Amino acid sequence: MTTAKALYTTVESPLGELLLVGEASATAKGGTALASLSMPGQKGGAVVQDGWVRDDAAFAEIAAQLRSYFEGSLTRFDIEYVSGVGTDFQQRVWHALDTLPYGTTTTYGKLAERMGLSRAAVRALGTAIGRNPLLVVRPCHRVIGADGSLTGYAGGLERKQRLLDLESACAPLEVR
């Protein structure tokens, strides 16, 4: 987060109560840029800090997009993210995640190859994916193991499976 005042809210979802953290933005649709989307029990998930301000209305647009996604009618989020979060490498990996089409999956190795990374960099790529602060909206759940198995999801593998099942109900699931 930058030095701007942190805002937060919680929204109910099929994955449990989601904690949304962001800051006011004059350019964001709905007026709030998202810094974090966490779920209960998430490894490395955000927790409400002293000084944060609860503002449910500030997240109305983001909450509406999440509802539409979970209902199966939204396949691409239109959310501004808080800038300056993560290292340059993490930001590059997260940008690559943002390009993964709804209803598809890819492997860690194939994502590394698409990014022009060496096979030796796959572990670093996996670590960067694991530090994604925007679960669900930045689709790290679409990255699976080379053998097609579900691996590494900070929100838990059961939730990863639920997200993939949701997306496959609306689009064919394929390994790219």
Side-chain angles (χ1 to χ4, degrees), residues 7-171:
L7 306 172
Y8 77 95
T9 193
T10 57
V11 295
E12 289 301 320
S13 84
L15 305 175
E17 185 178 73
L18 305 178
L19 172 64
L20 308 179
V21 182
E23 59 188 44
S25 168
T27 57
K29 188 175 183 180
T32 302
L34 191 62
S36 173
L37 186 156
S38 303
M39 48 189 74
Q42 174 185 328
K43 178 182 168 188
V47 293
V48 177
Q49 303 292 315
D50 288 341
W52 287 9
V53 176
R54 183 171 186 125
D55 188 343
D56 300 337
F59 293 91
E61 172 62 30
I62 296 169
Q65 288 188 46
L66 285 164
R67 276 191 303 279
S68 294
Y69 170 80
F70 287 120
E71 291 166 357
S73 62
L74 181 78
T75 61
R76 186 160 179 78
F77 291 98
D78 183 14
I79 297 172
E80 181 180 306
Y81 305 141
V82 171
S83 63
V85 176
T87 66
D88 288 343
F89 180 74
Q90 287 171 334
Q91 289 176 20
R92 193 169 155 223
V93 170
W94 298 340
H95 175 72
L97 292 174
D98 288 335
T99 68
L100 297 176
Y102 180 95
T104 65
T105 59
T106 193
T107 66
Y108 293 89
K110 287 181 181 179
L111 185 59
E113 185 179 302
R114 263 182 63 194
M115 294 179 62
L117 301 174
S118 69
R119 292 295 296 171
V122 172
R123 183 177 300 254
L125 175 119
T127 300
I129 290 171
R131 295 209 172 113
N132 171 18
L134 298 166
L135 297 189
V136 182
V137 298
R138 181 177 286 139
C140 57
H141 59 274
R142 296 178 189 154
V143 183
I144 60 174
D147 63 358
S149 64
L150 298 186
T151 60
Y153 188 64
L157 294 182
E158 179 182 306
R159 288 185 177 125
K160 183 172 187 165
Q161 183 66 61
R162 290 187 73 184
L163 290 167
L164 293 173
D165 289 347
L166 167 78
E167 292 185 11
S168 68
C170 301

